[in-house]
């Protein structure tokens, strides 16, 4: 049965190649559209636009742990390999829809402060379409 009502953000994870990124504290998916200019001398001094390129990205932040089931060490391998991976933004509930696509890891960073938990962040830039579908 699909999740009803407002979804609790804790139940949503980001997955790389089907494996959930461990120790994540937040995640996001973003889709944008860049219309192309279609303004002409016939536009009566008004800007006109037509459809253009779409792009998407996913970002994740989490707690830095060398022994995480799938964490910063694994993400560093994805970044270094420079290969496209499948990423998913999902609750993994059997009847909930999710976002999924092929992406390249474009950034990985770590941060630490005095007497604070060390953290990491990773960014994925989509290549091709972002799909919205249901688990089967």
């Amino acid at each position: 049965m699909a999740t009803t009502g407002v979804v609790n953000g804790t139940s949503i994870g980001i997955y790389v190649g089907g494996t959930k990124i461990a120790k994540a504290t937040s995640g996001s998916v973003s889709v944008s559209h860049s219309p192309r200019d279609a303004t002409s001398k016939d536009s009566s001094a008004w800007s006109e636009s037509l459809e253009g390129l779409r792009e998407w990205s996913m970002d994740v932040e989490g707690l830095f742990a060398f022994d995480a089931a799938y964490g910063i060490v694994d993400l560093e391998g994805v970044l270094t390999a420079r290969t496209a991976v499948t990423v998913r933004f999902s609750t993994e509930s059997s009847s909930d829809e999710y976002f999924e696509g092929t992406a390249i890891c474009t950034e990985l960073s770590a941060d630490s402060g005095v007497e604070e938990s060390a953290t990491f962040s990773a960014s994925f830039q989509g290549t091709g379409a972002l799909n919205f579908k249901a688990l089967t």
Side-chain angles (χ1 to χ4, degrees):
M1 181 174 172
T3 303
T4 58
V6 177
V7 177
N8 184 330
T10 302
S11 65
I12 297 175
I14 292 186
Y15 297 75
V16 175
T19 303
K20 186 177 182 181
I21 296 175
K23 308 285 186 200
T25 57
S26 68
S28 65
V29 60
S30 176
V31 181
S32 64
H33 176 231
S34 299
R36 57 191 164 105
D37 185 33
T39 308
S40 71
K41 292 180 180 183
D42 300 321
S43 299
S44 301
W46 287 97
S47 173
E48 294 184 25
S49 299
L50 293 171
E51 78 293 334
L53 292 175
R54 294 166 291 174
E55 65 181 4
W56 63 272
S57 62
M58 282 191 200
D59 297 294
V60 63
E61 295 179 345
L63 300 174
F64 188 122
F66 286 115
D67 62 349
Y70 191 93
I72 190 166
V73 174
D74 304 284
L75 293 170
E76 190 279 330
V78 170
L79 179 88
T80 302
R82 301 187 313 178
T83 57
V85 293
T86 299
V87 292
R88 180 184 293 171
F89 185 84
S90 172
T91 64
E92 291 300 284
S93 178
S94 63
S95 53
D96 285 349
E97 288 89 7
Y98 60 91
F99 292 101
E100 182 178 87
T102 302
I104 297 168
C105 186
T106 58
E107 185 175 352
L108 181 63
S109 64
D111 189 30
S112 65
V114 176
E115 293 301 316
E116 294 180 0
S117 296
T119 59
F120 73 89
S121 63
S123 297
F124 296 88
Q125 179 65 47
T127 177
L130 178 66
N131 301 300
F132 187 68
K133 55 189 174 183
L135 288 174
T136 55

